[in-house]
């Protein structure tokens, strides 16, 4: 019946997407792929950053896009009005430098205003959210929290021309293959008639609509919830966008009714080797180790969980559940995941985070994080590189160093740790 037909179409589009990826990844756009007897496009530089260079790139990429199935009329019509956006390149390059302490981030992400507006949005869209929750099995609060953080509940959906942003990033070349695919998929959105050319807008990084989907997420997860034939995540009506978000979370394994995390108090003398996302235990095991919810009472039953100390042992501690990893599919940063989870809890009437943050500290800059890693390496520890990215190995190295000095081994790279290493 209908179900089988739908599944078959799904499989066919999955196959098409796979082929598209392979084709685009196999050969990045280059001048020599063009039939160009007069040599007009030889020496097209990705990096010269000029409008003329960009126009040449658009002409060169046409071949790839058409091979990938974009109709010529769509490409020519849509890309005529795409332009090089230097602002996009600047912001993309700045992004890795950007650091904000998690408490500063959460002050904004879960401000009283955003909580109040979220409660209003929950009431105003109660019917829609109930239907989405019933169909996808995803709690409405987390959907509304993503909406709240991604676009302030639809207020700021972004007004950067998506094709210009994606083409600029593909042309800039730092992650060309990724953005080439995104651009082709965005062009397919147009050729399939889901949105008008002028309304295909979003963030400088190519994320679109109420919940800021990249075109690849749109291709895989966007749904036509209101049944008008368009998977419209851009327009004023949030129905398709919110259902698409629920669909995305459902796909990655959201469990309805389960918390993302729970603020807990660790007992005196707790073994900090257990405070890593990698150590997973049943809730009963954590209970017997003496963990209690900050809100009082015993730990509720739940699936395997791990402990997260996003700001070290002097800040809040969270017991995190599999739904935490589902939110990570939107964005890997702890600050983001806690922001979404906590905003959802607050919208549902839950209490603020109870423990204080170590606000006397600031986040280390990129240069300082590199210096920290270099100093740890000089002590014979493995940080997984000196790249300024604090991953599991850097955290493990900080822990080892702290243990060696008789400090609480929480693995948090505070300014104090850097100062002591110096
Ligand atoms: Ca629709």
């Amino acid at each position: 019946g209908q179900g089988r037909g739908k599944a078959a179409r799904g499989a066919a589009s999955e196959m098409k997407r796979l082929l598209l990826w392979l084709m685009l990844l196999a050969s990045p756009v280059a001048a020599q792929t063009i039939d160009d007897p007069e040599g007009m496009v030889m020496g097209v530089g990705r990096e010269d950053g000029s409008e003329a260079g960009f126009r040449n790139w658009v002409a060169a990429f046409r071949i790839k896009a058409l091979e990938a199935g974009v109709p010529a009329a769509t490409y020519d019509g849509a890309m005529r009005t795409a332009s090089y956006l230097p602002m996009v390149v600047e912001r993309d390059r700045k992004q890795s430098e950007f650091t904000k302490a998690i408490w500063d981030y959460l002050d904004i992400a879960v401000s009283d205003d955003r909580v109040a507006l979220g409660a209003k949005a929950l009431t105003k869209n109660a019917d829609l959210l109930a239907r989405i929750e019933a169909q996808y099995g995803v709690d409405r609060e987390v959907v509304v929290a993503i909406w709240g953080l991604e676009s302030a509940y639809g207020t700021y959906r972004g007004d950067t021309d998506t094709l210009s942003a994606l083409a600029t990033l593909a042309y800039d070349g730092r992650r060309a293959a990724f953005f080439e695919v995104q651009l082709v998929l965005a062009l397919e959105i147009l050729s399939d008639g889901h949105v008008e050319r002028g309304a295909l807008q979003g963030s400088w990084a190519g994320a679109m609509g109420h919940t800021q989907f990249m075109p690849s997420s749109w291709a895989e997860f966007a749904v036509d919830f209101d049944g008008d034939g368009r998977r419209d995540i851009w327009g004023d009506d949030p129905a398709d966008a919110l259902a698409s978000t629920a669909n995305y979370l459902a796909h990655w394994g959201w469990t309805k009714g389960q918390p993302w995390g729970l603020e807990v108090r660790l007992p005196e003398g707790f073994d900090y080797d257990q405070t890593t996302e990698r150590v997973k235990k049943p809730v009963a095991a954590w209970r017997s180790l003496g963990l209690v919810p900050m809100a009082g009472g015993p730990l509720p039953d739940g699936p395997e969980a791990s402990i997260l100390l996003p700001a070290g042992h002097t800040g809040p501690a969270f017991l995190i559940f599999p739904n935490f990893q589902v939110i990570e599919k939107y964005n890997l940063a702890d600050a983001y995941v806690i922001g979404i989870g906590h905003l959802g809890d607050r919208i549902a009437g839950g209490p603020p985070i109870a423990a204080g943050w170590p606000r006397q500290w600031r986040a280390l800059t990129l240069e300082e994080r590199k210096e920290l890693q270099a100093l740890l390496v000089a002590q014979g520890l493995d940080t997984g590189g000196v790249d300024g990215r604090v991953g599991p190995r850097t955290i493990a190295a900080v822990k080892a160093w702290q243990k060696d000095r008789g400090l609480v081994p929480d693995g948090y790279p505070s300014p104090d740790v850097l100062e002591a290493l110096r």
Side-chain angles (χ1 to χ4, degrees), residues 223-232 240:
V223 295
D224 174 21
F225 196 70
D226 65 6
D228 70 348
R230 294 174 164 210
R231 297 191 271 156
D232 180 6
D240 285 3

Side-chain angles (χ1 to χ4, degrees), residues 6-17:
K6 203 173 167 187
R9 280 198 304 279
S13 79
E14 185 62 42
M15 179 63 75
K16 185 182 167 194
R17 214 162 26 243

Side-chain angles (χ1 to χ4, degrees), residues 399-414:
K399 278 189 178 211
W401 177 85
Q402 287 169 322
K403 258 191 183 171
D404 208 40
R405 311 250 314 186
L407 303 168
V408 176
D410 60 12
Y412 185 68
S414 69

Side-chain angles (χ1 to χ4, degrees), residues 241-270:
L242 298 182
S244 300
T245 300
N247 186 39
Y248 185 90
L249 297 174
H251 174 85
W252 293 111
W254 184 267
T255 306
K256 188 166 174 284
Q258 224 170 60
W260 63 275
L262 200 61
E263 191 185 357
V264 292
R265 189 191 305 278
L266 304 180
E268 223 35 60
F270 191 73

Side-chain angles (χ1 to χ4, degrees), residues 24-70:
L24 285 168
L25 292 175
S27 57
V29 184
Q32 59 268 31
T33 61
I34 302 182
D35 178 22
D36 177 41
E38 293 173 32
M40 292 299 288
V41 292
M42 292 302 289
V44 167
R46 288 175 174 282
E47 68 290 338
D48 77 349
S50 67
E51 180 67 27
F54 178 78
R55 292 315 319 171
N56 283 339
W57 182 89
V58 169
F61 189 68
R62 185 178 188 276
I63 310 285
K64 283 282 157 197
L66 268 50
E67 276 175 10
V70 175

